[in-house]
Amino acid sequence: SKLTFLLKDSWGGNSKTCLVATVTPSMTSLTETISTLKFAQRAKQIKNTAVLNEDTCGSIAALQAEISRLKSELESSTLVRL
C-alpha cells in the first residue's frame, strides 16, 4: 500500500515507530475501519532489533583528516561548477 511504501524505512530500520490507528464506529466507514485494523495488526507483528551505529575503529585524528579531505573535495567540485 502507499502507507507501507512511505513508512518502509521506519518499519525496517533502526528506529522506533508508533502507529495510531484511527477508526470510527460509523457503518458508512466499515470497510475503511476494517482495513485500518488489519493494517495495524500486521504492523504490530513487526519486530526489529536496533543496532547502535558506532564505528570504534577510527581515531580522532583520522576522522578530522577525513573531514578536511571531504571539505576540500567539496570546495573543488563547487569551483568547477561555477
Side-chain angles (χ1 to χ4, degrees):
S1 71
K2 292 178 184 177
L3 182 59
T4 306
F5 176 76
L6 292 173
L7 295 174
K8 69 180 177 180
D9 292 331
S10 297
W11 296 129
N14 283 340
S15 62
K16 290 185 178 184
T17 304
C18 179
L19 174 71
V20 177
T22 307
V23 297
T24 180
S26 173
M27 288 302 289
T28 58
S29 301
L30 182 64
T31 56
E32 284 188 42
T33 298
I34 290 173
S35 176
T36 301
L37 290 172
K38 285 181 180 179
F39 178 80
Q41 182 65 30
R42 287 191 311 270
K44 184 179 177 183
Q45 294 174 354
I46 297 172
K47 301 291 182 204
N48 285 336
T49 54
V51 178
L52 183 62
N53 293 330
E54 185 176 305
D55 183 10
T56 58
C57 65
S59 67
I60 293 175
L63 293 173
Q64 288 174 339
E66 177 73 8
I67 289 171
S68 298
R69 183 187 68 77
L70 291 171
K71 282 182 180 179
S72 64
E73 184 180 319
L74 182 62
E75 287 173 1
S76 66
S77 67
T78 304
L79 291 177
V80 171
R81 289 184 189 168
L82 295 176

